[in-house]
Amino acid sequence: MDYSIAHGAPLEAIDPRLFQKPDAGDESLFVVFYMGVVVDQQASTSAGRLIARDEEFVRIMTPGDRNNIIDRPASDQDKRRFPKQYEQFKAGAKEEEQLVGTRLRDWPAASRGQVLEYEYLGIKTVEQLADLRDDVCSRMPGSRDFKEIAKAWLGRAKTTAEAAQQVAKDKAMQSRISELEGAIREQAKLIEKLRNAEQAKAA
């Protein structure tokens, strides 16, 4: 069926090679799902009037490159490829709420001006900043150093989280050991009680 898109660029105008770059990891892409409108040209021609319907769309952008954007009806593959964003969309999340990661605006290291500058380029999370391609950094003065700061911050956060998880595991293990020790003591008391009862009968 022949479709034309009433929102975004026509499918035939999109170069599919844009997102076949090995350094464009899915985790660093800015992805949102939304409801768009598709015009059914064939049905419209047959009916002599505009025939359109709402349809789920996906917008995929490489952070820092506003010329590298895919905007089209969402396929089943898109939904499987970006499950977190799609689940958020189906749960009623708006485009801005479909971000995965730590938002730049919530990051203490980023000033308000930096947040606005990077968001304009589709860089909205610390994770996206840390994965920013070198060619994008070269076009944005200071971005290379800021990228390293983001990477270091994420590394420290991961280390802290892992340490906290280990502490929680240690506490859980200690609690389990205490429970087992308590059970052993109770069993010892029961055995002693049974032994005393047997001795009393023998006497």
Side-chain angles (χ1 to χ4, degrees), residues 71-121:
D71 196 341
R72 55 172 167 72
S75 66
D76 290 338
Q77 181 179 356
D78 293 326
K79 299 168 187 177
R80 291 192 298 269
R81 182 181 175 188
F82 306 107
K84 291 183 179 179
Q85 291 91 335
Y86 186 67
E87 288 173 6
Q88 291 173 334
F89 162 69
K90 295 300 287 184
K94 298 178 181 178
E95 292 186 19
E96 185 65 23
E97 298 171 339
Q98 294 178 37
L99 295 175
V100 177
T102 301
R103 289 167 170 75
L104 279 181
R105 62 182 58 184
D106 297 329
W107 189 38
S111 68
R112 177 60 178 167
Q114 288 172 320
V115 170
L116 293 176
E117 179 182 2
Y118 282 104
E119 284 189 346
Y120 173 77
L121 295 171

Side-chain angles (χ1 to χ4, degrees), residues 65-175:
D65 190 351
R66 293 182 64 84
N67 295 319
N68 199 353
I69 301 175
I70 288 179
D71 196 341
R72 55 172 167 72
S75 66
D76 290 338
Q77 181 179 356
D78 293 326
K79 299 168 187 177
R80 291 192 298 269
R81 182 181 175 188
F82 306 107
K84 291 183 179 179
Q85 291 91 335
Y86 186 67
E87 288 173 6
Q88 291 173 334
F89 162 69
K90 295 300 287 184
K94 298 178 181 178
E95 292 186 19
E96 185 65 23
E97 298 171 339
Q98 294 178 37
L99 295 175
V100 177
T102 301
R103 289 167 170 75
L104 279 181
R105 62 182 58 184
D106 297 329
W107 189 38
S111 68
R112 177 60 178 167
Q114 288 172 320
V115 170
L116 293 176
E117 179 182 2
Y118 282 104
E119 284 189 346
Y120 173 77
L121 295 171
I123 305 166
K124 302 193 177 187
T125 68
V126 182
E127 289 81 358
Q128 290 173 342
L129 175 60
D131 289 334
L132 205 58
R133 299 203 316 261
D134 289 340
D135 63 310
V136 176
C137 289
S138 65
R139 300 196 300 269
M140 302 174 64
S143 291
R144 200 175 302 278
D145 291 339
F146 207 37
K147 171 183 176 178
E148 293 304 316
I149 292 173
K151 290 171 66 175
W153 184 84
L154 289 172
R156 288 195 300 272
K158 181 179 180 181
T159 299
T160 301
E162 290 175 346
Q165 290 174 0
Q166 187 59 50
V167 169
K169 288 180 180 179
D170 291 344
K171 287 184 177 180
M173 179 62 72
Q174 186 58 49
S175 176

Side-chain angles (χ1 to χ4, degrees), residues 38-41 43-45 47 49-53:
V38 170
V39 176
D40 189 331
Q41 296 284 24
S44 296
T45 300
R49 58 185 174 84
L50 179 66
I51 303 295
R53 67 174 182 276

